[in-house]
Amino acid sequence: TDCGLTPVPYVEGFESFSTFVQPTCWQFLNQYPNYSYNYPTINDYEPRTGSKAMYFYTDYYNNPTQVQYAILPVFSEHITNLQLSLYSRRDYEYSGTFYIGYITDPTDESTFVPMVTRTAASMGDDLYHRDIVDFSNVPVDPDSIAYIAIGYQNNTYYGWYVDVIEVTLLPDF
């Protein structure tokens, strides 16, 4: 699929996808293979709204120090003009760590820069919580591309859910 530039505003609730697939025009690093699909994947277990959400999962035997990344599409606006809103929730009190940030090379995890870090303990419950991230201070050349990315790392058998992702222009104040 030739995705080109994705227009802003962008809203993804994963409702248009089948379960156990990954969103088109997204990129993924360090996927965890499970049966006939890879994590992170879309599932219908614990959505915030509608009937589907994205689910990150790995297990103790799958390199527990490795972070899985879901990289959003390339947008029609430079990352420094964007903000991200998303809802996420831990799977259980023993879930791992969830990251929101950006990546400059979608094939190289060392270029990921976290801007928000959530742990199972910091979430405090199994409810969805909203994060809003302002990318205006991302130190990227105006001619370079940086991608909004989310990641998950754990060393247990519990995952993390993400739903209702919105990418919008930063508000004018």
Side-chain angles (χ1 to χ4, degrees):
T1 303
D2 180 20
C3 294
L5 298 176
T6 300
V8 175
Y10 171 82
V11 178
E12 186 57 76
F14 308 108
E15 299 305 312
S16 65
F17 298 101
S18 301
T19 54
F20 306 113
V21 301
Q22 295 174 321
T24 53
C25 301
W26 289 47
Q27 299 177 67
F28 298 88
L29 274 174
N30 304 332
Q31 301 173 74
Y32 173 58
N34 189 39
Y35 303 105
S36 61
Y37 55 91
N38 290 320
Y39 287 103
T41 191
I42 296 167
N43 75 24
D44 57 1
Y45 301 139
E46 295 286 343
R48 179 180 183 274
T49 62
S51 62
K52 296 178 188 143
M54 180 179 281
Y55 183 60
F56 287 79
Y57 173 83
T58 186
D59 67 42
Y60 182 76
Y61 301 105
N62 183 51
N63 192 356
T65 61
Q66 190 173 56
V67 179
Q68 287 178 352
Y69 295 98
I71 302 161
L72 278 69
V74 179
F75 293 105
S76 58
E77 297 287 334
H78 193 266
I79 193 169
T80 56
N81 297 324
L82 301 176
Q83 79 174 10
L84 169 77
S85 166
L86 64 71
Y87 290 85
S88 74
R89 68 175 283 266
R90 68 184 194 184
D91 193 12
Y92 189 65
E93 66 182 297
Y94 302 116
S95 291
T97 304
F98 179 72
Y99 304 97
I100 304 169
Y102 65 93
I103 194 166
T104 56
D105 180 347
T107 64
D108 181 359
E109 66 185 299
S110 72
T111 68
F112 177 76
V113 177
M115 298 176 71
V116 174
T117 301
R118 299 278 176 244
T119 64
S122 72
M123 293 298 268
D125 57 40
D126 297 342
L127 303 175
Y128 274 95
H129 296 266
R130 184 180 188 196
D131 281 298
I132 298 174
V133 182
D134 173 337
F135 291 95
S136 62
N137 292 320
V138 171
V140 179
D141 185 282
D143 297 326
S144 299
I145 296 175
Y147 304 79
I148 297 172
I150 53 180
Y152 179 67
Q153 173 186 24
N154 81 336
N155 60 0
T156 67
Y157 293 98
Y158 299 101
W160 205 276
Y161 294 93
V162 177
D163 204 2
V164 192
I165 293 175
E166 297 179 42
V167 177
T168 57
L169 289 173
L170 285 164
D172 291 330
F173 292 107

